[in-house]
Every structure is written in structure tokens, then in C-alpha cells.
Amino acid sequence: MNRTSVPGRKQPNHPPRGRLLGDTRVGNAALGALLLALAVLAYLPAISAGPVWDDHLLLEQNPTIAGRTPALEAFRQPFTPFDLFYRPATAIALRAAVAPETAAVPGSASAIPGIAVSAGSEGTTGSLRTIHVVALALHSLIGLAIAQLAKRSGASPLAAGFAAVVFVCHPAMTEAVAWMSGFGDVLAGFALVFAALLALPAVGPASLDRPPRSGGGEPGPPRGESSPRGLVLRSAAAVFLLALSAFAKETAVPIAILIVSAVLWHRFRSQTGEARRTRAVIVSAGFAVVLIAYAALRASAVPPGGLEPRFEISRAALVLGTYVRTWLFPIGEGFVPILDLHPLVNRPEGLDVRYLWAAGGTVTFCAMSWIAWRRRSPARFGLLWAAVSFVPAWLLVPASSPLLAERYLYLPSIGLAIAVPALMSGALGWGRGGAPWNVARSDAPGGRPLRASAIVVATLLCLSALAVTRMRANEWKSEETLLEASLARDARNVAIAVNRGFLLRSEGRPDQALSLYRRTIAAIDQGRPFYQTDHGRIAWTRLLFEAGTLELESGAREDAEADWRRALEVDPLHEQTLISYSALLGSEARFDELVGLLDPAVSALPESIPLRRNLALGLRLSGKDRAAVEQYRALLRLDPNDSSAREALERLDRP
């Protein structure tokens, strides 16, 4: 007779406590140490990395991070000069961690997403080791909290531990963990998971409460809540963490609302439990005050407007498919890759495979949700977490940019890491409460080999994730290595090429920058167009302008003119190109062409002093004195101290 079928012997449906990193302090400490060791091993090459991409912008133009204003002024200022984001908690944390380690130096490259700014502007240099170490520590703690939340959602300790390891080592988390500009995602994730740990134990179902110290009996109160004072302190700490998450990253607000909603939902479903009612009142009332304060402060710091949500089903499906592929196979993508969001244009190869990824991901998520809701599994919380944090980023990003931002996957990945092990534990017979839909119970034929196979697969998955993350962390050692690796993956990434060219120019290597620009233009010409978004057009125009500038410096005037003409075909009002091209036409005495180029541009950009000055000069040199006088008078209205315009006007007024 099978030992598991002996009458009277109860077969546990999950590993006993104290084994396999179970619900013991020693087990949790061991898991935490393992997660920290894996995080350090994976991200060690990037710990000493300096500023990259958006980091320059934040270190130079955010007055709080730069130390030019008091720390609390962050609550009255936008996070970036574009007035789109409001993240004062992130700004204060970065100020504390990076201010002593960075210094401004002339000639450094500086970038905004997809568009490099002038190479002569001040940049930042130095190590950001402190912020990288803090990010690694928070990332490891998030993994440990994920394991605890997964176990409370019904996962076995072993499955929860595997989920935490996969999260910590997953390559798609690299951008958020290794990049200073992604620190807000890590900070918000840390605040949210620990707020959930503090807020949910006293209000969730029995499986979320602390088990009794000895066998039998009802579940005991969560640790630290044996007294009213402990209950109040834990509730207040949860409210503080929810506030921290909201002020760290905008997309954390829906998750914070979800956590409070879970508190209230369990409160109203529960018929007993004074602690649950007290916690629900404290958490919900406290967070309501936080939301009101957040809305008021944000409204005063960030002007109305910003991103305009625009939903296009084709584009949304492509972005979703790309993110699903990045979750499952996070290899092959470079840093901020530009995506082709219009695949049906000039696609002789047929349907874009990302539609299939999107369909598969959607079906899988819906199936998981259906199973969780049908069985009333606590894994519903993790699935809702993933949904409410992913949908805003998914639907907003295509409206403004074709860039893939892996850091947007950080907060949704926490929800998936909580839900998936709970669902898998039930399927493999490890879930708590004897899930009736498991397929690998110990008393089922082949159940034990199936669980052993699952352990082997999970172990291989963890090792593979660690290896790929370590490889990607090597690319984050410096801005140069990161941009070079991204260009090696996609030679058509114009945004990366522009910023890499700025670095080469700042290092005194203009010939290499021009060679890079030429290769990128050739790669674009050989492929199909994909700059249908504003962001893509801006990057492509800037590349053509920079290439033309370097062509002119090398003496290739015809090539420079050709590049500038192409730039103006994409953006007829690109001011820098208009200024440079009109100067070239003037130097060759092609005044009629100069006037024809600038006359409509000045009408569209009446506040541009350089364009109006070049137009006035072209009109004067082409003999159109009356029109030149009008332009010089307009110049003096814009800048009464313009001595050159005043002198030119006086010469034209002489009889």
C-alpha cells in the first residue's frame, strides 16, 4: 500500500513549517541573505557606474537633487524641467545619496529622453555608488517582502522563495535597479510592499493572520499587535509608507489605493475582529488625508496639462506584446530601444509577431485571473496589483514616445511575483488550504515527480536570470559601454546614436561621431521608416542636424546641406537647422534661397531672434530694404538692447 494512502494518516499539502525556508525567523533571515547576495552578484559591475542619460538632466536641472534649494522645496517643484512629473520623495532621497559624490564639469554630454542637448553645457561626473548600494538593498528587501506576501496569498514557502529569487535576478529589473533615474520605481516598490505587509495581516482572511505558536486554535494576532499601541503604530507606519510611495512615483498611487481598498474590503466582510476595524479606520482615514495633500501639492507644483492619453488599439497591442516578450525573454533589447509602432506600413514579411505575444499574454493573464476568482484565491490581490500598475504606463507611453521603458515593468512585476507562486502552489499541491484544483497532490499518480521537475525548472530559471542580469549589468558600468551595447543591438536607434555622438565630441573625437552618424543614417535608409511619433521625429531631426554640422566642419558643404534639407523635410520648423542652413546659404550669397527658407519660418516662430536676424540680413543683402527695415524693427521690439539691429536700421534709414 502506498504510504501516503495509509488510513488515518493526514497528508500535508505543503511543506511543514521550518523547512525549505518556511515561516521561521531563521528561514526568512536565510532567504534575505540569499537575495542580497544574489543582488550583489548580479549587479556588482554597475555599482560604481556614473551618471547615465536622464541622470545628467536630474543632477543639473533638478534644484533639489543639485542642492541649490532646501530639501523640502521638492514638494513645491516638478521633478523634471518638463513639468510632467511630481516625485518629491525620490528627489530628496537622491539629494541625500548623490549630492556629495557628483560635480559639474564643462563639456560633458547631457541628455533628455531621446534627444541630446548642447555638448557645451555643464554635465555631471563622479560615482553614484551610494545610490546604487541603496537601490540594491531596497531591491533585496522587496524580494523578501514578496516572499512573505506570496505565502500569505497561499504559496508554499519554497514557491514564494523561488518567486523572490526570480524577481531579484530578473533581467527586466536591471533598468530600475542599476539606473539612478529608475530609483523612484525601487523606492515606491519598497514602500508599497512593506505597507501591504503592515496593513493586510490584521484585515485579511485567516490565512493572512499570524498562526498560533502551538498547534490548534484560531490564528493569533499579527506580531506587534498584541496591544492597542502596537496596532496604532503599525497602522501609522502603513500610512506613512503609502504616502512615501505616492510621493516617489505617480504609478504607485493606484496600487496604494488598491491596498487601502483591500483593507476596507476585508473589514466589511469580517463580522468580528476589533483590531481589523480599528486598523481599517486608521489606514483609510490616514490615506484619505495623504491623497488630499498629494493632490493639493501636486496641483501647486505641476502646471495643468502634460501627457495626453490617446488610445490606439494597434499601437497598444504592439507595446503590450513588446512588454510581454521582455518579461518572458528579456534578451536582445538595448537601452531605451525605439519601437516600430506602425508595423503594417511597408511590411512585406506579414503580421508583426508582437501581436501574437500580446494575445498570448492577455489570454494567460485572463486565465490566471479566472482561476483565482473562481477559487476565491488570495492571489487575486497580486493580479490586481499587476494590472493597476501596468495599465497606466502601457496606455500613456505610446501617446508621447515610441521608447520601451523597462523600468515601467518594475511595479507590475511585484504583483506577478506575489500571485504566480500562489497559483502554481495550488496546482502543484503545495498550496495552503488544500486547493481542490491542484494537479500534483502527493496521493495523485506522478505528483511527486511533477513537483521535483518544477523545482528543477525553477532552479534553472533562476540561474538563467542571474546570468543574463549579470551580463546586462556589465553594460551599465559606464554610459559609454551602455550606449555602445545598445547600438550593437540596434544600429537604427537614433536617440542612442545622437547621445553617443555627443560623448565622442566631448572627448575630442568628432571624426568618430560623424562616422557613427553616417552609419546610423545608412541603417535608417536601408530599413523601413518608423518615426511616426513626435519623439521619433525629434530624434531623427536632431541626428540629421548634428550630422550636417560635423559634415560642414569637415569641409563637406554639399553633404551638410543634404542632411539639413532632410532634417527640414521631417521638421520644417527645427530652429537650429534653420539657423545653420540659412548661415550656409548666406555665406554662398544665395540670398533669395535664404529669404525663401526663413520667411515662412519667421511667421511660424515670431519670437525667434536668430531666425529674424538672419532673415533681415538676407533681405538687406538681396536689396529688399523695406522688408529688411520691418524685420530689424521687429528685432528691436523683441530685444531693445540689440545694438547690431539698431546700427543696421540706422544705415537703412539714411537717405
Side-chain angles (χ1 to χ4, degrees):
M1 181 179 295
N2 191 315
R3 183 180 58 177
T4 60
S5 62
V6 174
R9 175 175 295 182
K10 184 178 180 180
Q11 178 68 29
N13 61 359
H14 62 84
R17 298 188 185 280
R19 294 176 55 190
L20 301 176
L21 302 179
D23 298 334
T24 66
R25 292 184 178 179
V26 174
N28 291 331
L31 178 59
L34 174 64
L35 295 175
L36 180 60
L38 291 175
V40 172
L41 180 61
Y43 292 100
L44 185 61
I47 287 181
S48 299
V52 172
W53 202 262
D54 286 358
D55 296 349
H56 299 288
L57 177 75
L58 295 177
L59 292 170
E60 295 166 18
Q61 300 188 33
N62 185 298
T64 300
I65 300 175
R68 295 192 297 268
T69 60
L72 293 181
E73 285 294 309
F75 289 93
R76 302 173 58 185
Q77 301 166 346
F79 188 62
T80 65
F82 313 111
D83 296 332
L84 294 178
F85 306 116
Y86 182 66
R87 303 168 186 172
T90 301
I92 293 173
L94 291 176
R95 172 195 178 100
V98 308
E101 300 183 78
T102 58
V105 294
S108 295
S110 180
I112 62 177
I115 313 146
V117 300
S118 302
S121 63
E122 288 192 347
T124 49
T125 185
S127 171
L128 301 177
R129 183 179 289 108
T130 300
I131 197 64
H132 292 319
V133 170
V134 173
L136 279 183
L138 295 182
H139 186 55
S140 304
L141 290 173
I142 292 172
L144 183 60
I146 285 174
Q148 300 303 315
L149 291 172
K151 285 185 286 187
R152 294 175 181 179
S153 296
S156 71
L158 182 59
F162 271 123
V165 171
V166 171
F167 173 82
V168 168
C169 298
H170 200 289
M173 306 298 106
T174 304
E175 187 174 291
V177 178
W179 192 17
M180 189 199 85
S181 295
F183 182 73
D185 295 85
V186 179
L187 181 61
F190 168 80
L192 287 169
V193 293
F194 280 92
L197 282 175
L198 290 171
L200 291 179
V203 296
S207 61
L208 298 184
D209 290 335
R210 178 185 174 189
R213 291 191 176 90
S214 58
E218 294 296 326
R223 294 181 178 87
E225 291 192 0
S226 57
S227 66
R229 180 184 178 186
L231 172 64
V232 172
L233 290 177
R234 288 173 66 93
S235 302
V239 173
F240 171 78
L241 290 172
L242 291 173
L244 176 62
S245 69
F247 286 103
K249 187 71 181 284
E250 294 88 343
T251 51
V253 175
I255 309 175
I257 295 175
L258 171 65
I259 293 173
V260 177
S261 299
V263 172
L264 295 175
W265 185 77
H266 287 298
R267 154 69 183 89
F268 288 110
R269 283 180 59 91
S270 175
Q271 300 298 322
T272 60
E274 184 63 29
R276 291 186 180 185
R277 289 191 290 271
T278 302
R279 176 179 289 277
V281 171
I282 296 175
V283 172
S284 59
F287 186 66
V289 174
V290 169
L291 276 184
I292 294 173
Y294 174 83
L297 290 171
R298 179 183 174 86
S300 64
V302 180
L307 295 177
E308 297 182 2
R310 294 182 309 204
F311 181 79
E312 299 177 17
I313 184 63
S314 174
R315 180 177 292 189
L318 290 174
V319 174
L320 175 61
T322 304
Y323 278 127
V324 172
R325 184 185 63 188
T326 303
W327 253 319
L328 298 179
F329 300 99
I331 56 177
E333 295 286 1
F335 177 60
V336 289
I338 293 183
L339 306 179
D340 183 353
L341 296 180
H342 290 263
L344 301 181
V345 178
N346 300 327
R347 278 193 64 87
E349 61 271 35
L351 184 68
D352 195 306
V353 71
R354 284 174 292 173
Y355 284 123
L356 302 179
W357 283 109
T362 302
V363 170
T364 301
F365 186 83
C366 291
M368 292 168 56
S369 302
W370 180 82
I371 293 173
W373 255 260
R374 182 179 176 83
R375 300 298 177 182
R376 297 184 179 180
S377 169
R380 291 175 293 180
F381 175 73
L383 294 173
L384 284 173
W385 179 309
V388 300
S389 57
F390 177 69
V391 169
W394 165 41
L395 296 181
L396 284 177
V397 170
S400 62
S401 168
L403 298 181
L404 171 70
E406 283 187 355
R407 63 188 181 279
Y408 293 158
L409 299 179
Y410 193 84
L411 294 180
S413 295
I414 295 175
L416 289 179
I418 294 171
V420 171
L423 295 174
M424 294 302 297
S425 294
L428 294 172
W430 287 339
R432 299 177 182 175
W437 51 284
N438 59 46
V439 297
R441 298 187 303 272
S442 297
D443 57 351
R448 186 167 297 176
L450 183 58
R451 291 198 304 277
S453 300
I455 292 175
V456 172
V457 171
T459 302
L460 293 177
L461 178 63
C462 293
L463 293 176
S464 301
L466 177 63
V468 176
T469 301
R470 177 61 183 248
M471 178 184 67
R472 296 193 61 183
N474 277 319
E475 300 173 357
W476 282 85
K477 291 189 296 187
S478 67
E479 190 167 33
E480 179 179 359
T481 57
L482 179 63
L483 299 184
E484 288 289 353
S486 298
L487 287 173
R489 291 191 177 95
D490 183 8
R492 301 167 69 236
N493 193 322
V494 179
I496 295 292
V498 170
N499 284 275
R500 179 62 183 134
F502 270 101
L503 280 177
L504 292 171
R505 292 179 64 182
S506 67
E507 296 168 357
R509 296 185 283 174
D511 294 340
Q512 295 184 31
L514 178 57
S515 176
L516 170 62
Y517 291 154
R518 287 171 174 168
R519 292 197 306 270
T520 306
I521 293 173
I524 293 294
D525 290 339
Q526 294 172 5
R528 60 180 182 272
F530 61 98
Y531 293 102
Q532 291 83 6
T533 65
D534 294 340
H535 196 113
R537 284 191 290 270
I538 291 173
W540 177 231
T541 305
R542 187 59 185 263
L543 175 70
L544 292 170
F545 165 73
E546 296 297 339
T549 301
L550 292 178
E551 295 278 12
L552 185 64
E553 292 177 0
S554 65
R557 300 174 69 92
E558 293 182 359
D559 293 337
E561 182 176 355
D563 288 335
W564 287 338
R565 282 185 176 274
R566 292 188 64 181
L568 293 176
E569 290 175 2
V570 180
D571 182 5
L573 298 179
H574 190 260
E575 186 176 11
Q576 292 174 299
T577 303
L578 289 168
I579 294 171
S580 298
Y581 188 22
S582 61
L584 174 64
L585 294 174
S587 67
E588 296 178 351
R590 298 158 60 183
F591 302 119
D592 290 338
E593 294 182 51
L594 186 156
V595 172
L597 174 71
L598 293 186
D599 193 34
V602 168
S603 299
L605 302 172
E607 303 297 322
S608 175
I609 293 178
L611 289 182
R612 194 175 291 276
R613 180 181 291 113
N614 285 5
L615 176 60
L617 180 61
L619 290 169
R620 181 169 66 85
L621 295 177
S622 62
K624 302 175 181 178
D625 292 349
R626 181 175 298 179
V629 168
E630 295 178 0
Q631 294 300 326
Y632 281 123
R633 288 174 177 171
L635 271 175
L636 290 175
R637 287 194 295 270
L638 292 173
D639 183 9
N641 298 321
D642 191 335
S643 57
S644 61
R646 190 176 303 279
E647 293 174 0
L649 186 60
E650 291 175 355
R651 287 195 299 268
L652 290 172
D653 287 339
R654 293 171 186 170

